[in-house]
Amino acid sequence: DQQVKQNSPSLSVQEGRISILNCDYTNSMFDYFLWYKKYPAEGPTFLISISSIKDKNEDGRFTVFLNKSAKHLSLHIVPSQPGDSAVYFCAALTGTASKLTFGTGTRLQVTL
Amino acid sequence: DAGITQSPRYKITETGRQVTLMCHQTWSHSYMFWYRQDLGHGLRLIYYSAAADITDKGEVPDGYVVSRSKTENFPLTLESATRSQTSVYFCASSVFWTNEQFFGPGTRLTVL
């Protein structure tokens, strides 16, 4: 049972445009969400997070939006750069369980 | 070197052999985690540890054993490797389970 879903396995965006990566979850107990970025042959690195008490968190070119009623979050990258080409994982955790639940990932390719 | 390291980076073994993957972190983080990454599944938690001598199962623990006698080390052992354990394995650590996790570079394991 996939509690965190990233339904788009891949996304291609032109440099300078907006990239929107989506994530849906089913467990209403999730109250903290994170995005990780992964380059080939490297471990994932933390990108940005959001608590369930917020609906938006921004860090430079990266903004995460949370819609709790729809159990949906999205990561916006503006403007997209070639160095953003990577696999992006959405992850979630609850206030009681000591573990992250990851989505399956979305491969973003930013083209020139 | 400071950070989190994994060894070996690549390993080929045969079905039925015992294999141990090493993980070492220099931050004195309390929490450590082992994940496997497989196509279509994202990152799945195998085992985690809240402190030395405290470990707990994750989502896919069968066929794996962990120990944590020292805070900085968290080895993962496959007691009798199977082909289904061919995967990329990531170790991670965090100050607390609600904090961001820092990942190692991964170990690519092939079981023939």
Side-chain angles (χ1 to χ4, degrees):
Chain A
D1 177 31
Q2 193 75 30
Q3 296 187 59
V4 178
K5 301 176 185 179
Q6 293 177 258
N7 292 318
S8 298
S10 63
L11 175 68
S12 183
V13 172
Q14 271 191 322
E15 182 182 11
R17 304 269 187 153
I18 183 171
S19 294
I20 300 176
L21 293 90
N22 294 304
C23 179
D24 296 295
Y25 61 95
T26 57
N27 188 344
S28 58
M29 299 301 291
F30 286 143
D31 57 9
Y32 196 70
F33 303 89
L34 306 91
W35 285 92
Y36 281 81
K37 176 179 179 179
K38 185 185 177 307
Y39 291 119
E42 295 183 12
T45 54
F46 170 74
L47 192 57
I48 192 169
S49 62
I50 187 166
S51 164
S52 60
I53 63 173
K54 293 186 173 183
D55 55 17
K56 177 182 174 182
N57 189 26
E58 194 170 351
D59 184 1
R61 296 186 297 113
F62 302 91
T63 303
V64 56
F65 296 92
L66 175 62
N67 182 335
K68 283 187 294 182
S69 61
K71 294 192 178 69
H72 176 83
L73 65 155
S74 60
L75 174 68
H76 292 211
I77 306 173
V78 183
S80 300
Q81 298 174 355
D84 296 328
S85 297
V87 176
Y88 290 80
F89 290 100
C90 169
L93 57 78
T94 70
T96 53
S98 308
K99 47 197 177 184
L100 278 174
T101 300
F102 281 87
T104 51
T106 296
R107 181 179 301 278
L108 173 66
Q109 184 172 10
V110 180
T111 58
L112 298 173
Chain B
D1 288 0
I4 182 165
T5 56
Q6 293 183 236
S7 62
R9 292 294 312 276
Y10 303 91
K11 177 74 177 178
I12 298 174
T13 191
E14 293 177 338
T15 302
R17 298 247 185 182
Q18 183 179 79
V19 177
T20 296
L21 309 184
M22 304 302 293
C23 179
H24 176 78
Q25 53 106 354
T26 61
W27 295 303
S28 299
H29 285 170
S30 294
Y31 280 77
M32 295 188 76
F33 308 83
W34 273 107
Y35 295 90
R36 58 179 290 174
Q37 183 191 6
D38 304 287
L39 204 61
H41 291 280
L43 288 153
R44 291 182 292 175
L45 182 65
I46 304 170
Y47 269 96
Y48 67 100
S49 169
D53 297 322
I54 301 175
T55 62
D56 206 349
K57 295 178 181 179
E59 184 184 352
V60 289
D62 292 344
Y64 303 96
V65 174
V66 293
S67 62
R68 195 162 175 213
S69 57
K70 292 184 178 181
T71 301
E72 61 266 30
N73 296 324
F74 191 38
L76 176 74
T77 298
L78 289 66
E79 293 192 304
S80 178
T82 65
R83 289 200 181 94
S84 65
Q85 292 177 310
T86 292
S87 186
V88 181
Y89 291 84
F90 290 100
C91 177
S93 71
S94 63
V95 173
F96 191 63
W97 59 270
T98 54
N99 293 96
E100 66 172 281
Q101 294 180 17
F102 295 86
F103 283 79
T107 294
R108 181 174 293 275
L109 175 68
T110 301
V111 182
L112 301 176

